[in-house]
Amino acid sequence: MTSTLSRPEAVEPAPVAPVSAPALRPGRRITIRIPTAVQRRTAAVVLPLIPIVAFVGLWQLLTAHNVVAWLRFNRMPAPMRVVESLGARISSGGYYDDLLASLQRILLGFGLAAAVGIALGILVGRSPTARMTLRPFIEIVRPIPAIALVPLTILLFPSSEQGIVFITFFAAFFPVVVSTIHATESLPKVWEEAAKTMGAGRISLLLHVILPGALPGIFAGLSVAMGVAWICVVSAEMISGQFGIGYYTWQSYGLLDYPGVVVGMISIGALGLITAWAVERVGRRINHWLPRASR
C-alpha cells in the first residue's frame, strides 16, 4: 500500500490597505510646551510668595476687624502702616547706619567663630589627646546661653561694641566646632588609608582628604551658626547696644512706635535671609563635587 504526500499549496498574503495620515482637524489647538528652565525659575519666584502673601492677607484681615481672641490684633499695626513706616525709615540715613552696624558685628563675630571653630574642631576630631582634653570643657560651656554673658561682657570689655562682638562669636562658635568634630570623626577610614598608601603626608592628608571630606558637615554647622548669631547679636543690641537694628527695634518699642517695631523685625529677617543665602551659596561653590550641589 503506497501513500502519496501532497505538496502544500502556497497561501498568498492578504493585501495590506495603505495607511493614510490622519487628517488635521480645522479646530485643533496647538499646544506650546514651556521650557523646563523657565518653569523652574517661575516656580522659584512664585512659590516663596504664596506663604508671604497669605500671611500678609491674614494679617490685614485680622487687624481690619480688630479681632480679639487668644491673640489681640486690635493693637497690632496694619500692614499699610508698617509699609509707611518702612518708607520713612528707608529715606533716613540713620536706618542704614543701624543695618551696617549690625552687619559688621555679625561678620566679625561669625568670621572669628568660623576660623577658630573649624581649626579646633579638626584638632579635636583628629587627635585623641585633644579630644580627651578639650571635649569635656566644650560640653560644659556649650549649654550656657550667649545672652546670659551680657553682664560679664559689660564688666570685662571696655566698650559695648567689643562685648557684642564677643557674644556673637560665643553664640556662633559652638555650632561650628561641634559640627566640625562630628564631620571629621565620621569620615571613612578607607580614604585615609588609601591616601597613606599613595604616599600622602600629614599636611597633604589634611588638605586633600580630611578637610574636603568634612566640608559638607562644616557648612551645615555654619548655616546653623549664622541663624544663632543673628538671634544673639540682636538681643545684645537690645540690652547694651547704642546703635544697631536690635537697638532701633527696642527703642521703637519704648516710644510706642509699633510699626517701627515691625519694621525692625522685617529688617532682621531680611538680613538673616541674605547672610544665610550667602553661606549656602559659598558652600555649594566649594562642595561642587557633591551630587546635590548642582541642583
Side-chain angles (χ1 to χ4, degrees):
M1 182 176 181
T2 61
S3 62
T4 59
L5 296 176
S6 61
R7 186 177 181 180
E9 297 180 355
V11 179
E12 296 182 357
V16 179
V19 179
S20 58
L24 295 177
R25 298 180 180 178
R28 188 176 181 179
R29 297 180 180 178
I30 301 176
T31 58
I32 301 176
R33 296 189 61 183
I34 302 176
T36 306
V38 176
Q39 294 181 1
R40 291 180 178 177
R41 292 179 181 177
T42 304
V45 175
V46 174
L47 292 181
L49 293 177
I50 294 177
I52 297 176
V53 172
F55 175 78
V56 174
L58 181 61
W59 176 13
Q60 174 64 33
L61 182 64
L62 294 174
T63 54
H65 292 81
N66 294 325
V67 176
V68 178
W70 184 55
L71 299 175
R72 298 180 298 177
F73 289 93
N74 55 341
R75 299 180 181 179
M76 187 73 179
M80 288 307 301
R81 291 183 58 191
V82 175
V83 172
E84 294 174 358
S85 178
L86 179 60
R89 289 296 300 173
I90 289 177
S91 60
S92 64
Y95 176 73
Y96 299 100
D97 293 338
D98 291 332
L99 293 181
L100 183 60
S102 297
L103 193 59
Q104 287 177 344
R105 292 163 177 167
I106 276 289
L107 294 180
L108 184 57
F110 178 79
L112 291 174
V116 178
I118 293 174
L120 189 62
I122 293 177
L123 177 63
V124 173
R126 295 291 301 170
S127 173
T129 303
R131 184 184 304 110
M132 290 185 294
T133 305
L134 299 176
R135 189 64 186 271
F137 178 75
I138 292 174
E139 295 301 328
I140 290 174
V141 180
R142 185 162 68 101
I144 300 176
I147 200 63
L149 300 178
V150 172
L152 293 180
T153 57
I154 295 175
L155 297 176
L156 293 175
F157 292 94
S159 65
S160 60
E161 184 70 19
Q162 297 175 356
I164 293 175
V165 171
F166 173 76
I167 290 173
T168 307
F169 163 81
F170 186 87
F173 170 75
F174 292 102
V176 176
V177 69
V178 171
S179 64
T180 304
I181 292 173
H182 289 304
T184 305
E185 292 177 345
S186 62
L187 292 177
K189 296 295 183 181
V190 66
W191 292 4
E192 183 177 351
E193 295 174 357
K196 289 181 178 179
T197 303
M198 299 177 66
R202 289 186 177 181
I203 299 178
S204 179
L205 184 67
L206 175 64
L207 296 178
H208 300 286
V209 177
I210 297 173
L211 187 58
L215 277 177
I218 292 174
F219 271 94
L222 290 174
S223 180
V224 175
M226 179 59 76
V228 176
W230 269 114
I231 295 174
C232 292
V233 72
V234 170
S235 302
E237 289 175 350
M238 289 181 176
I239 296 174
S240 63
Q242 298 178 352
F243 46 86
I245 193 64
Y247 175 78
Y248 161 76
T249 305
W250 186 251
Q251 285 296 107
S252 299
Y253 173 75
L255 298 174
L256 302 180
D257 181 14
Y258 298 121
V261 174
V262 181
V263 169
M265 296 169 59
I266 295 174
S267 303
I268 295 168
L271 289 175
L273 175 63
I274 293 172
T275 51
W277 176 85
V279 171
E280 183 180 356
R281 194 69 178 176
V282 173
R284 287 185 179 182
R285 291 277 185 175
I286 295 178
N287 299 317
H288 59 86
W289 52 273
L290 290 174
R292 298 176 62 91
S294 59
R295 296 185 181 180

